[in-house]
Amino acid sequence: MSVMKRLSLIFKSKANNALDKMEDPRETLDYSYQRQLELLQKVRRGVADVATSRKRVELQINQIEAQSRKLEEQGRKALGVGREDLAREALTRRGGLQTQIADLRVQHDNLQAEEEKLTTASQRLQAKVDSFRTRKETIKATYTAAEAQTRINEAFSGISEEMGDVGLAIQRAEDKTASMQARAGAIDELLASGALDDYSGQRGDDIQAELDRMGGGHDVELEIARMKAELGQGSTPKSAIEQGPAQQQPQPNQQPQSNQTQQLRQPGEGL
Amino acid sequence: MIVRIMGEGQIEIGPNDLEVLNALDTDLEAAIETGDEETFRVRLHDLLDKVRHVGKALPDDSLESSELILPPADASMDEVRAMLGDEGLIPG
């Protein structure tokens, strides 16, 4: 059976089941109206939940951007005191944070789109519920069983369809938000601990990690050259095209990570 | 005839446009049966675009019941399959 037909039948059978439970059409109207009001409450809560998640992601973006700026400043300072190895480390970490920020922006846009959709659905449902209430009172006032049943069927089918539609929209938003919440919680923990070490999210893919490192390293070299130029320590950086294939830089002396981090940190603050 | 696009509201379409919608709906159904998400997405958008193009939106406070109901534009194939299952969409 076609998609259009089957979806319609689902709604119609649900509406009929609900109507069959009631003896008196006037009871059906009151029961239906109560359910609509409950759903409206649920929709409003759904919109509020999504808005909360969006604000949380915004806050995280701001926090990580602040960390990113701090690392850039530390890189500049390190270069100023002749510690190019520390500057390179700081800028590499900053690159990882930029990736996090880009991912969070995508999440933020998704949440915003979901929020707008739910807001529209909520307004539409509110208009339908208001309309239903007016019609319900009219039907009850002029009640005769045979006539009322027909009119109730029409009104009830219309509103139950809308309820199902909005109910699905909420469910979809909740599903999307749940996975984002889990990720947001993880980022919160990393921010709180001052860690955020595994930027790549690609553990186990050595080739990709190496490619990322080489690409990231190239950006770091450009940053280093740019900073050196600012500090009057070297020539202005060439563009990627002018430079040709990226030169593999000799690795700085391997020091324990904790030592490098110690020197980058200001007293009393995490990275 | 009144068609609901889930998440968007209701649209009224004339009887003359039904034939082309049915053809698009058949294509959509075939895509679901083959399990090809990409083809499904294209077919679903074709169908919804056509409905929006030929139809006229109903006001928000109308209480008409729809003769046809279509999934939302961003529905996945799995979601549509779930909608077509026995449980349907509306709890209870």
Side-chain angles (χ1 to χ4, degrees), chain A residues 18-213:
Chain A
L19 287 170
D20 288 346
K21 287 175 191 164
M22 297 294 172
E23 294 288 320
D24 184 338
R26 286 170 294 187
E27 279 179 35
T28 309
L29 288 167
D30 288 331
Y31 165 78
S32 170
Y33 183 62
Q34 284 308 315
R35 283 207 56 195
Q36 289 163 35
L37 292 179
E38 285 165 21
L39 183 71
L40 259 179
Q41 285 300 321
K42 197 178 167 191
V43 173
R44 292 198 183 109
R45 275 200 301 273
V47 176
D49 287 349
V50 174
T52 304
S53 294
R54 176 181 54 77
K55 284 174 186 159
R56 187 176 178 185
V57 170
E58 273 173 22
L59 192 67
Q60 289 182 332
I61 290 172
N62 292 342
Q63 284 176 295
I64 296 178
E65 276 178 339
Q67 283 197 350
S68 176
R69 282 193 298 274
K70 192 174 88 180
L71 280 166
E72 186 180 358
E73 192 50 40
Q74 286 174 331
R76 206 182 304 279
K77 278 181 189 167
L79 211 54
V81 296
R83 288 294 307 272
E84 193 168 319
D85 58 324
L86 286 182
R88 191 169 280 109
E89 173 67 18
L91 292 174
T92 303
R93 292 184 191 190
R94 180 173 162 266
L97 292 183
Q98 294 297 331
T99 308
Q100 287 280 2
I101 290 168
D103 288 349
L104 285 170
R105 284 199 196 286
V106 171
Q107 278 196 31
H108 178 268
D109 291 348
N110 285 341
L111 283 170
Q112 197 156 34
E114 214 59 50
E115 191 183 341
E116 283 164 14
K117 261 193 249 173
L118 277 178
T119 304
T120 305
S122 163
Q123 289 164 346
R124 213 178 50 229
L125 189 65
Q126 177 72 63
K128 296 244 184 212
V129 171
D130 290 346
S131 178
F132 186 89
R133 187 184 55 204
T134 308
R135 199 173 296 193
K136 167 175 90 86
E137 293 310 321
T138 309
I139 292 171
K140 280 167 75 174
T142 61
Y143 174 72
T144 63
E147 181 198 5
Q149 195 61 57
T150 308
R151 292 167 67 189
I152 288 168
N153 275 331
E154 287 167 6
F156 193 88
S157 296
I159 196 80
S160 73
E161 231 176 68
E162 190 72 29
M163 284 168 72
D165 184 349
V166 176
L168 179 79
I170 296 166
Q171 188 190 309
R172 283 153 56 86
E174 281 173 349
D175 289 349
K176 286 183 187 178
T177 308
S179 63
M180 289 180 183
Q181 289 278 27
R183 202 181 147 172
I187 291 175
D188 278 346
E189 280 179 33
L190 288 170
L191 284 165
S193 69
L196 263 175
D197 285 327
D198 181 19
Y199 307 125
S200 68
Q202 308 238 5
R203 285 189 190 280
D205 185 350
D206 294 343
I207 296 171
Q208 188 58 48
E210 181 66 14
L211 286 170
D212 288 349
R213 194 185 63 77

Side-chain angles (χ1 to χ4, degrees), chain A residues 1-8 10-12 14-15 17 21 35 114 117 120-121 123-124 127-129 131-132 135 153-165 168-169 171-172 175-176, chain B residues 1 3-10 18 21-22 25 28-29 32 47 59-72 74-76 79-80 82-92:
Chain A
M1 194 189 291
S2 85
V3 176
M4 295 194 288
K5 280 286 176 212
R6 283 185 60 182
L7 284 173
S8 303
I10 289 164
F11 277 110
K12 283 187 170 52
K14 294 280 181 186
N17 287 344
K21 287 175 191 164
R35 283 207 56 195
E114 214 59 50
K117 261 193 249 173
T120 305
Q123 289 164 346
R124 213 178 50 229
K128 296 244 184 212
V129 171
S131 178
F132 186 89
R135 199 173 296 193
N153 275 331
E154 287 167 6
F156 193 88
S157 296
I159 196 80
S160 73
E161 231 176 68
E162 190 72 29
M163 284 168 72
D165 184 349
L168 179 79
Q171 188 190 309
R172 283 153 56 86
D175 289 349
K176 286 183 187 178
Chain B
M1 152 183 296
V3 177
R4 171 180 294 281
I5 299 178
M6 297 185 72
E8 289 181 37
Q10 292 173 297
L18 261 187
L21 293 180
N22 272 326
D25 184 40
L28 174 63
E29 205 182 359
I32 293 172
L47 178 57
D60 283 345
D61 60 354
S62 70
L63 283 175
E64 311 295 324
S65 63
S66 311
E67 281 190 64
L68 299 175
I69 295 171
L70 293 168
D74 60 349
S76 70
E79 278 178 315
V80 174
M83 289 179 202
L84 298 172
D86 292 337
E87 275 305 295
L89 302 166
I90 309 168

